[in-house]
Amino acid sequence: MASLPSAAASGQFEIGGDIKINRLGFGAMRLTGKGIWGEPADPQQARETLRLVPELGINFIDTADSYGPFVSESLIHEVLYPYKGLLIATKGGLVRPGAEIWRPLGRPEYLRQCVVMSLRRLGLERIDLWQLHRIDPAVARDEQFGVIAAMRKEGLIRHVGLSEVGVDDIEAARKYFPVATVQNRYNLVNRASEDVLVYCEKYNIGFIPWAPLAAGALTRPGSALMETAKALKATPGQVALAWALKRSKVILPIPGTAKPAHLIENVAAAQLVLSDEAFTALDRQGRSVL
C-alpha cells in the first residue's frame, strides 16, 4: 500500500503563539447529515474519516456546536478522545431551527451556555480555541466580547477566534482579548476578505479560510487552474488548496469531508509545489472572476 501523505508538508503555525499545528487542518462540518442537520448518512464512514485524521498528520480540527447541531462535536469525542496531540477548535453563537437555517444569537448567557455545553460534549475542562461563529447584530458587540473575555479569564477558553468579521470587528475585540484566529470565507474566486488577511499577516493572527476548495468558473477547460492541475497530475481542488497555502504563511485551510479517500486527496495537496508563475497566473485569473 502506498504511504499516506502528511499534513506536515503544509508547514507549521503557532495558534496564539503557543500551540503549534500543521497548517492544513480538517473541517468537521461535513460529518453530519444533509443540510448540516442530524446524523451522517453513513456514520461508519464518518468515523473512519475521523480515525484517519491523525494518521495523516492533521493536528488541527475545526468544528462547531451548530454542526448537526451537536453531532460533529459528539463524533469527535467518540472517535478521537482524549485528543493526544490534537487541537480541537470549536465555535458557538449560532442557533439551528432546522436544516440549512443558521441564526446568530449573541446574548451573553447563551454564549456562556455554548462554551459550557461544548466542554461537556468534547470531554474537556478548557477549550484551547473557541471561536465566535457570528457577531449577533441584535446584541451590542461589546457585550459579546465582554462575556468571552470573562470566560477566558475563568479558564474555560485558552484562545479566542472570530468568524466572518471585518478589520473593525477584530480591532474592537482586541480591546477585550487577544484574537488568535479569524475564520472568513476565502478562496481563489472569493477575495472579499483580502484586507482581513493582510491585517492577520501584520499581527500574526491565524487566518482560517472556509470553503477553500471553491474555484467556480476557474474549472472551465483551458483555465490556469485546469492547466496547472493537468501539469501537476492533481485535481482542481488540490491546486486550489496549494494556492491558498502559498498565498500566506498565516493561512490555515480546513477542507472538510466525510470520506476517507477525499481526506487523503486533500492532504496530498500539501505536497504540491506551485511555481511562482503558476501561482501568479492562478491569482490573476481568480481575481478576474470576482
Side-chain angles (χ1 to χ4, degrees), residues 10-267:
S10 63
Q12 287 70 46
F13 182 83
E14 289 192 351
I15 300 284
D18 62 6
I19 304 179
K20 183 177 284 189
I21 60 164
N22 293 327
R23 289 175 56 210
L24 184 60
F26 174 71
M29 184 175 74
R30 298 293 172 190
L31 299 174
T32 60
K34 185 177 180 181
I36 321 304
W37 188 258
E39 299 292 329
D42 188 336
Q44 189 56 35
Q45 184 173 246
R47 291 182 178 91
E48 289 172 6
T49 301
L50 271 176
R51 289 190 191 100
L52 190 57
V53 164
E55 292 184 40
L56 293 168
I58 296 171
N59 50 18
F60 174 46
I61 297 176
D62 177 86
T63 186
D65 63 358
S66 57
Y67 297 164
F70 318 139
V71 171
S72 178
E73 288 183 332
S74 296
L75 277 172
I76 288 168
H77 177 265
E78 176 191 336
V79 176
L80 296 175
Y81 186 82
Y83 318 125
K84 185 176 181 180
L86 297 175
L87 169 59
I88 310 298
T90 193
K91 299 183 287 292
L94 289 178
V95 291
R96 300 294 310 283
E100 298 290 6
I101 304 173
W102 311 76
R103 292 177 183 162
L105 181 57
R107 292 201 304 268
E109 65 272 19
Y110 180 69
L111 296 182
R112 180 175 288 276
Q113 176 181 306
C114 289
V115 170
V116 171
M117 296 306 293
S118 285
L119 286 167
R120 180 185 294 183
R121 279 187 294 273
L122 291 169
L124 296 170
E125 294 184 357
R126 179 184 66 181
I127 296 171
D128 282 338
L129 176 61
W130 187 85
Q131 304 155 92
L132 180 60
H133 214 153
R134 291 293 186 277
I135 294 175
D136 183 353
V139 177
R141 188 171 61 180
D142 287 352
E143 287 188 39
Q144 298 171 69
F145 296 158
V147 70
I148 295 169
M151 290 188 288
R152 181 172 176 267
K153 187 175 181 179
E154 292 167 33
L156 300 178
I157 297 168
R158 181 174 180 178
H159 294 301
V160 181
L162 303 173
S163 181
E164 284 304 301
V165 291
V167 170
D168 176 66
D169 296 315
I170 304 170
E171 292 191 327
R174 290 179 73 197
K175 296 175 183 177
Y176 289 85
F177 46 75
V179 175
T181 61
V182 171
Q183 185 168 158
N184 282 14
R185 187 181 183 94
Y186 184 85
N187 49 55
L188 262 174
V189 294
N190 189 319
R191 310 291 184 82
S193 290
E194 201 74 48
D195 62 330
V196 175
L197 174 56
V198 170
Y199 184 92
C200 289
E201 289 176 318
K202 181 178 179 180
Y203 294 101
N204 202 39
I205 295 169
F207 184 90
I208 305 170
W210 59 274
L213 300 178
L218 293 192
T219 56
R220 66 182 182 276
S223 70
L225 176 62
M226 299 307 288
E227 291 302 308
T228 301
K230 182 178 178 181
L232 293 175
K233 296 182 172 58
T235 68
Q238 287 175 320
V239 174
L241 276 176
W243 173 86
L245 288 166
K246 189 176 176 69
R247 168 63 184 83
S248 173
K249 296 299 184 183
V250 305
I251 285 184
L252 314 172
I254 50 165
T257 182
K259 298 179 179 180
H262 190 206
L263 178 61
I264 293 170
E265 181 181 290
N266 287 340
V267 175

